[in-house]
Amino acid sequence: VAITVSPEPDSLEVSGGIAIRLGNRHLLRSGEYRIDARKEGYRPLNAALVIGDDSREATFALDKLPGRLKLVSTPVAAISVDGKPYGNTPQEALELPAGRHQLSLSAPRHQPQQLDIDIEGLGKLQELSVELKPGWAPISVSSRPAGAEVSIAGLPQGTTPARLELGAGAVELEFRLPGYKPRRLPVLVVANQPQTLPEVLLESADAMVQLTS
């Protein structure tokens, strides 16, 4: 019987009865045997082999051991591989099957990142370091006169002059200062792109005149 194991193992044993090896073939009587094959970087193979009167060949395959991935990120991020959660970074030896995988990392106030990774398997350790880009941007604001409260949707953000850290997207800044008219300013915030806005000129509030006669 020709016993073929792919890839070629470092060791191959046949147990369960009399087995005489003749080159790349084995002389076996009819019956049930066990095949034990081992190769570095692969899972051990222990399989049944049933020999009949007309048996001429038997083929087996070794499975690669999973690879190990050392993964760190700035900042700490949630990990997803092929849509399955794997905890948070850092990971010293994340076991993954050999082959290509889609890695996703996400963290508050940062842009999610996706990348394809090729895992060698065979028990090998690979290393990967990822730096996530901010999902916000610094926005510098000022007013004349200074000291105006800046708010978004009624939520205070600071007092001019100020450097605000705002999430990406369209926002409307409102400037308020006692004795002056409120001023609104639409701003498009682009992640990781600092902006310095033109100085906001505040107009004096209309005077109140009380007449008596």
Side-chain angles (χ1 to χ4, degrees), residues 136-141 150-152 157-159 162-166 173:
W136 51 272
I139 307 296
S140 297
V141 296
V150 185
S151 62
I152 298 176
Q157 303 294 318
T159 302
R163 183 178 182 273
L164 310 178
E165 292 184 353
L166 303 181
L173 302 180

Side-chain angles (χ1 to χ4, degrees), residues 9 15 33 42 72 77 152 154 196:
S15 60
Y33 297 81
Y42 291 79
V72 297
I152 298 176
T196 299

Side-chain angles (χ1 to χ4, degrees), residues 161-199:
R163 183 178 182 273
L164 310 178
E165 292 184 353
L166 303 181
V171 297
E172 186 176 68
L173 302 180
E174 185 174 26
F175 297 79
R176 287 183 175 272
L177 183 66
Y180 293 83
K181 295 179 180 179
R183 178 80 183 273
R184 290 183 172 85
L185 180 66
V187 178
L188 179 61
V189 180
V190 180
N192 206 30
Q193 292 189 15
Q195 296 185 55
T196 299
L197 302 182
E199 185 177 58

Side-chain angles (χ1 to χ4, degrees), residues 1-6 12 14 24-26 28 33-35 45 47-52 54-61:
V1 177
I3 300 176
T4 303
V5 179
S6 179
L12 174 64
V14 180
N24 63 346
R25 304 178 70 86
H26 287 75
L28 304 172
Y33 297 81
R34 300 296 301 183
I35 297 293
L45 172 68
L49 172 62
V50 178
I51 300 298
D54 57 349
S55 298
R56 294 292 181 268
E57 60 181 359
T59 302
F60 300 90

Side-chain angles (χ1 to χ4, degrees), residues 108-125:
R109 302 185 70 240
H110 287 75
Q111 300 179 56
Q113 186 163 343
Q114 291 186 343
L115 59 157
D116 291 330
I117 55 173
D118 291 311
I119 298 298
E120 294 182 48
L122 303 175
K124 293 183 179 180
L125 179 66

Side-chain angles (χ1 to χ4, degrees), residues 4-90:
T4 303
V5 179
S6 179
E8 186 176 350
D10 299 328
S11 66
L12 174 64
E13 293 184 4
V14 180
S15 60
I18 298 176
I20 301 175
R21 186 163 188 170
L22 302 173
N24 63 346
R25 304 178 70 86
H26 287 75
L27 184 60
L28 304 172
R29 291 183 175 180
S30 299
E32 185 172 331
Y33 297 81
R34 300 296 301 183
I35 297 293
D36 186 278
R38 297 176 184 270
K39 185 176 181 64
E40 185 176 0
Y42 291 79
R43 299 185 188 277
L45 172 68
N46 189 281
L49 172 62
V50 178
I51 300 298
D53 293 338
D54 57 349
S55 298
R56 294 292 181 268
E57 60 181 359
T59 302
F60 300 90
L62 296 174
D63 294 326
K64 282 184 178 181
L65 287 172
R68 297 178 297 140
L69 179 64
K70 182 178 181 180
L71 177 61
V72 297
S73 70
T74 304
V76 172
I79 305 168
S80 174
V81 180
D82 300 329
K84 180 181 177 181
Y86 276 82
N88 298 327
T89 57

